[in-house]
RNA sequence: GCGGACGUGGCGGAAUCGGUAGACGCAGCAGACUUAAAAUCUGUUUCUCGUCAGAGAGUGCGGGUUCGAGUCCCGCCGUCCGCACCA
């Protein structure tokens, strides 16, 4: 018996697949009866080496692609490279290589590693976002969006990452730090390029409702991120002379117009134009504003931040009472970039307003009466009341419930012409320009006479020069001696190219559409996109829940409105897989150690770790995401060398549910390796030429066939439901059944049944361990690839048992079991159950009050 | 603070509809093969009591609904994730 040798077998089958070009997706073809299925995993950044996270991500997608192909779908499963970005510039600065060479070399290396994984990818569609053919098409639609006004430029406060020396979008700031660099982000006032994602805020929220194959968690996160709230925009007139520029009054936004009679002050943001003009006239105001800005933006700072205010001396008139005026304060807690940058304060029903009012001695008037409270005794002290109730102290709003009062107040304000009901979003426009040299150039030329002018499409792509100087930090494109100096396409005068490049998240916001025809002479070939889009199953990490996944949904809409696409939602199904983790190891001194330098042994209840060289005791740390900094990584190529690709694929899939983190362990990969060998042994020991015998002549053969049909049903369900770990457990289970019926001692009937079961098994393991499956398929004497063989069919009547073991409970406790035919009648079952000796013992001296028979499941006898 | 998810053996996990809790794997223990080890194979392993037969307990804690609860409801505790002065 030959031991399974992945080192010989795996490359052989990969070469055979490539030779036969079996994974190429055909062009859109109406005559093809197969339904299309587009499987995509988030494409990798070419960092240079594959890590276990990639293995898990791509193996997962490949299971789906191979499964769907076997189920009769026309599958598109492409691969490309998210190739622009800072690591290339950092490498350039450190090593003096060009970012382009570094990137393409990494791509070449990673392509080989990915190919080694045996993925069923259509490599003919591969591209990198740093290919001019790709980013040139991106510039083309960017110009379209610019013409439509979806791209704009304005001065504004932006997030500045001082380490990466570039602007970041709000989505890219995590806990006040840059998402890549981890540096504390500064606020800077800059002229910036924006994409008007807020135009689509409503559509992006509404669209979430249609994404029933997305995790609820991601939909919720996007909904919260967009943060829609409805309320009232309302202008307060100044009681005396209005400050310059605010003759029309001061506009505020509120979600609680029902509490207008509880208003005791207005507060504006320190960044409000009014605050700034007051500061220009009064140094003391300027000093106050400076004080407000000193506070940090981190979590802890905000938590500790005290409410601070400055009374401007200005007063405004209450919209419902000409004789009632309110003071206008500057409040450090009011944000400029939400709503209008100004609020009215109702201290009784908003905690922030209450803190502020108590500090500065402002009036607190309750206007919402909690259920059960008395109007004459209800007061608010240190805790604002935000619950439900009836409005009181509020003239025409009295006795209304909160929602009705909101409506009434808005109607009154609208009738007065002082404001309108309004919907406001937390989402901000997407700052897309980066001050970096290794990115897609913004295709705009700044002309002193004509202003910003789009580069004519005939002149696209605006290519990056090859001779950029990355030896020092900052924007290499900007300091290039000649690149930016051009003539204006409109007037022919001297002009300068924009030297900012696009956020790499722009690159990844449409690549899935480009895959449908990567050589099209326009950004997207409509016919190809109409055939393949949307992506039926997208697979990637949860970390992109509000970054990439929101941007891609937005760009898809923008391109649909440009008539480049027909779909508005790019990803019909989304699966977010968990991370690959590993135990961490440290020296006593705290220095991190690589797993393969450490030997772990079990000693009774505890595990002891020592350095392999020298035996020095090692501290076993937490289980964490594999990372270079903690050295708890395992190189995929080492695992492929030792156990083969299939074992690695199988293990990352088998040990945990795919949405959860999986812990890499030596024991786990060895278990997967054992399984592969045991599968191979079953095929290897099966005699090739057997005379077909009547399976029904041997009950063991019948049972084996039944088990195989149950396996088909169970595994199909498990894959459809992304329960890959459970599905693989069924495969292990079935292998145990096969092993209990070894070929060596099998009857002709069992041998025949084995032959049939093995044929199914080869096809069932194919999505997980594709190389092994081909070897097994060939061993059976089948022709063609198992990769293109149809999924085994499932015969319900064969899978069904004709007898089953029914548990019997007495008062809910399991007391015995009976063997009965499937579908047995209730009376008959009851009789057998009551006659069972084990049950009888527990009925002694008791009266049977009730017998519950759940067909084919359980019997419960209630006694008293 | 707000929103969400999750708590099951020594470990990863299974139980898809309220119906035998612990599938499958890892680790452990015992045995076979071997001069020995590795590999492989067989058996065994929730806990407590018991020689066995068996009995009792058991899915974070406390209640509830039900003939029956890991699963549903209420209240706690804990862990993780997202957001966070968003008016």
């Amino acid at each position: 018996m030959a031991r399974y040798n992945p080192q010989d077998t795996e490359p052989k089958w990969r070469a055979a697949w490539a030779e036969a070009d079996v994974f190429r997706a055909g062009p859109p073809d109406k005559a093809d009866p197969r339904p299309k299925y587009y499987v995509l995993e988030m494409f990798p950044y070419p960092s240079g080496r594959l890590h276990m996270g990639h293995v898990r991500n791509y193996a997962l997608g490949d299971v789906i692609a191979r499964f769907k192909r076997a189920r009769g779908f026309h599958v598109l499963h492409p691969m490309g490279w998210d190739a622009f970005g800072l690591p290339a510039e950092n490498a350039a600065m450190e090593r003096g290589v060009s970012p382009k060479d570094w990137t393409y070399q990494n791509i070449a290396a990673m392509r080989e590693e990915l190919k080694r994984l045996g993925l069923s990818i259509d490599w003919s569609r591969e591209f990198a976002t740093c290919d001019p053919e790709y980013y040139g098409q991106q510039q083309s639609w960017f110009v379209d969006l610019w013409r439509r006004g979806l791209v704009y430029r304005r001065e504004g406060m932006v997030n500045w990452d001082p380490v990466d020396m570039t602007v970041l979008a709000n989505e890219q700031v995590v806990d006040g730090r840059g998402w890549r660099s981890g540096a504390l982000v500064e606020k800077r006032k800059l002229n910036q390029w924006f994409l008007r994602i807020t135009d689509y805020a409503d559509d992006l929220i509404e669209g979430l409702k249609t994404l029933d194959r997305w995790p609820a968690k991601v939909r919720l996160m996007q909904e919260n991120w967009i943060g829609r709230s409805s309320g009232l925009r309302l202008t307060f007139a100044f009681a005396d002379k209005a400050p310059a520029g605010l003759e029309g009054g001061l506009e505020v936004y509120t979600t609680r117009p029902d509490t207008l009679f509880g208003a005791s002050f207005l507060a504006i943001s320190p960044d409000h134009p009014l605050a700034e003009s007051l500061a220009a006239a009064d140094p003391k105001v300027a000093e106050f504003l400076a004080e407000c800005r000193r506070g940090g933006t981190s979590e802890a700072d905000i938590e500790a931040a005290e409410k601070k205010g400055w009374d401007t001396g200005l007063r405004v008139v209450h919209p419902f009472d000409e004789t009632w005026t309110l003071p206008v304060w500057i409040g450090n807690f009011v944000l400029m970039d939400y709503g209008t940058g100004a609020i009215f304060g109702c201290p009784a029903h908003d905690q922030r307003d209450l803190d502020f009012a108590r500090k500065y001695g402002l009036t607190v008037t309750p206007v919402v009466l909690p259920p059960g409270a008395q109007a004459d005794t209800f007061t608010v002290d240190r805790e604002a009341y935000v619950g439900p109730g009836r409005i009181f102290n509020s003239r025409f709003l009295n006795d209304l419930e909160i929602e009705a009062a909101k409506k009434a107040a808005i109607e009154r304000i609208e009738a007065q012409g002082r404001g309108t009901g309004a919907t406001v979003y937390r989402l901000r426009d997407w700052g897309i320009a980066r001050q970096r040299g290794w990115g897609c150039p913004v295709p705009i030329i700044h002309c002193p006479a004509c202003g910003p002018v789009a580069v004519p499409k005939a002149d696209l792509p605006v290519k990056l020069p090859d001779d950029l100087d990355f030896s020092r930090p900052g924007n290499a494109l900007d300091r290039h001696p000649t690149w930016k100096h051009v003539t204006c396409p409109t007037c022919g005068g001297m002009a300068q190219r924009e030297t900012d490049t696009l956020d790499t998240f722009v690159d990844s916001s449409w690549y899935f559409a480009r895959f449908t025809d990567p050589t099209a002479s326009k950004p997207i070939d409509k016919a190809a996109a109409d055939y393949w889009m949307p992506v039926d199953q997208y697979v990637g990490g949860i970390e992109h829940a509000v970054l990439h996944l929101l941007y891609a949904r937005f760009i898809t809409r923008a391109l649909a409105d440009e008539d480049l696409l027909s779909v508005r939602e790019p990803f019909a199904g989304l699966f977010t897989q968990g991370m690959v983790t590993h135990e961490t190891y440290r020296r006593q001194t705290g220095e991190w150690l690589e797993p393969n330098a450490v030997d772990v042994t079990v000693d009774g209840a505890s595990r002891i770790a020592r350095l392999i060289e020298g035996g020095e005791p090692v501290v076993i740390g937490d289980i964490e995401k594999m990372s270079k900094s903690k050295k708890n990584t395992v190189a995929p190529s080492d695992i492929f060398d030792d156990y083969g690709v299939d074992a690695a694929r199988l293990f990352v899939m088998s040990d945990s549910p795919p949405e959860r983190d999986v812990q890499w362990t030596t024991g786990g990969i060895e278990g997967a390796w054992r399984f592969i060998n045991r599968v191979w042994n079953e095929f290897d020991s099966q005699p090739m030429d057997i005379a077909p015998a009547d399976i029904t002549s041997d009950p063991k053969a019948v049972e084996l066939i039944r088990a195989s049909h149950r396996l088909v049903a169970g595994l199909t369900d498990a894959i459809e439901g992304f329960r890959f770990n459970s599905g693989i457990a069924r495969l292990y289970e079935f292998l145990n059944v096969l092993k209990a019926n070894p070929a060596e001692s099998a009857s002709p009937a069992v041998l025949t049944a084995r032959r049939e079961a093995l044929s199914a098994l080869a096809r069932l393991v194919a999505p997980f361990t594709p190389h092994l499956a081909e070897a097994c398929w060939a061993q059976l004497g089948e022709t063609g690839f198992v990769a293109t063989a149809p999924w085994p069919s499932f015969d319900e009547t064969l899978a069904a048992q004709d007898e089953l073991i029914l548990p019997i409970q007495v008062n809910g406790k399991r007391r015995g079991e009976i063997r009965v035919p499937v579908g047995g009648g209730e009376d008959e079952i009851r009789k057998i159950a009551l006659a069972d000796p084990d049950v009888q013992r527990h009925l002694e001296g008791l009266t049977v009050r009730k017998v519950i028979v759940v067909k084919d499941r359980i019997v419960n006898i209630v006694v008293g």
Side-chain angles (χ1 to χ4, degrees), chain A residues 411-443:
Chain A
E411 274 168 18
R412 180 73 65 103
I413 293 290
E414 285 181 344
Q416 290 174 347
R418 294 178 201 271
T420 53
T423 304
V424 162
Y425 302 90
R426 206 191 80 103
L427 182 71
R428 315 273 192 269
D429 276 340
W430 175 14
I432 45 160
R434 297 292 177 271
Q435 293 68 45
R436 309 301 328 172
W438 183 238
C440 170
V442 174

Side-chain angles (χ1 to χ4, degrees), chain A residues 463-542:
Chain A
K463 277 199 198 177
L464 289 170
D466 283 334
D467 55 346
L468 289 173
D469 166 24
F470 286 94
S471 62
R472 53 207 169 86
N475 186 349
L477 208 47
D478 194 47
R479 62 170 175 256
H480 187 275
T482 56
W483 184 80
K484 66 181 170 186
H485 301 293
V486 289
T487 54
C488 171
T490 307
C491 69
M494 295 279 282
Q496 284 203 353
R497 280 192 196 286
E498 172 62 57
T499 59
D500 281 356
T501 52
L502 291 174
D503 185 357
T504 56
F505 279 102
V506 176
D507 309 338
S508 54
S509 289
W510 72 290
Y511 75 105
F512 42 86
R514 183 75 184 164
F515 272 140
T516 64
D517 183 355
T519 58
S521 56
K522 32 189 187 173
I524 296 163
D525 180 87
K526 193 91 183 297
D530 281 355
Y531 177 76
W532 288 112
M533 291 294 290
V535 174
D536 294 280
Q537 189 61 56
Y538 200 34
V539 184
I542 187 80

